[in-house]
Amino acid sequence: EETIRGARNRADAALAATGADLAVGIEGGCVDSTSGMRCCAWAVVVDRTGRVGTGGSLAMPLPPSVAAMVRSGMELGHAMDALVAQHNTKHGAGAVGILTAGLVDRQRAYEVLVTYALAPFLTPAYWG
């Protein structure tokens, strides 16, 4: 829920700052459970009429060492930097690119969830 709120806040801020008809907010986060920690990502699309679409994806498991760093308060991007001894990986391959050995890159992963969030705008007849 916190990650979805973050995406919504970003979308609302983008809408307020622009004259656009639609605005998109994207937020990534981590979810911890008894089966381990995984990353998640959400997109929210809003328009000036108040219509909202939300799409989520990217439930990828995180290595135990990364999960431990995140549990200790480190941001996922910094934990991934530490894991691979690089800087600013969240603006490059990101966790998804690194942990899938490049089979899925950040852009491709986020394109899917933005498309999910666009569903109410793409097929409005089904959304009443």
Side-chain angles (χ1 to χ4, degrees):
E1 293 299 317
E2 181 180 338
T3 309
I4 295 170
R5 273 193 311 276
R8 175 65 190 262
N9 290 341
R10 288 178 186 270
D12 289 341
L15 192 66
T18 68
D21 293 328
L22 292 174
V24 179
I26 299 172
E27 186 73 29
C30 296
V31 177
D32 210 352
S33 70
T34 56
S35 62
M37 184 176 283
R38 64 189 185 280
C39 61
C40 66
W42 292 89
V44 173
V45 177
V46 297
D47 73 6
R48 298 211 175 271
T49 70
R51 182 172 292 210
V52 178
T54 303
S57 187
L58 194 64
M60 185 182 62
L62 295 173
S65 62
V66 172
M69 287 184 265
V70 171
R71 284 186 195 106
S72 74
M74 187 179 286
E75 180 187 314
L76 176 60
H78 296 154
M80 292 304 300
D81 288 351
L83 179 72
V84 298
Q86 294 180 16
H87 179 68
N88 212 19
T89 56
K90 72 180 185 177
H91 293 289
V96 66
I98 293 167
L99 296 176
T100 66
L103 290 176
V104 178
D105 65 22
R106 287 178 70 241
Q107 180 172 330
R108 193 165 122 210
Y110 286 116
E111 285 173 354
V112 171
L113 60 109
V114 170
T115 303
Y116 294 160
L118 282 167
F121 301 92
L122 298 171
T123 57
Y126 300 133
W127 300 90

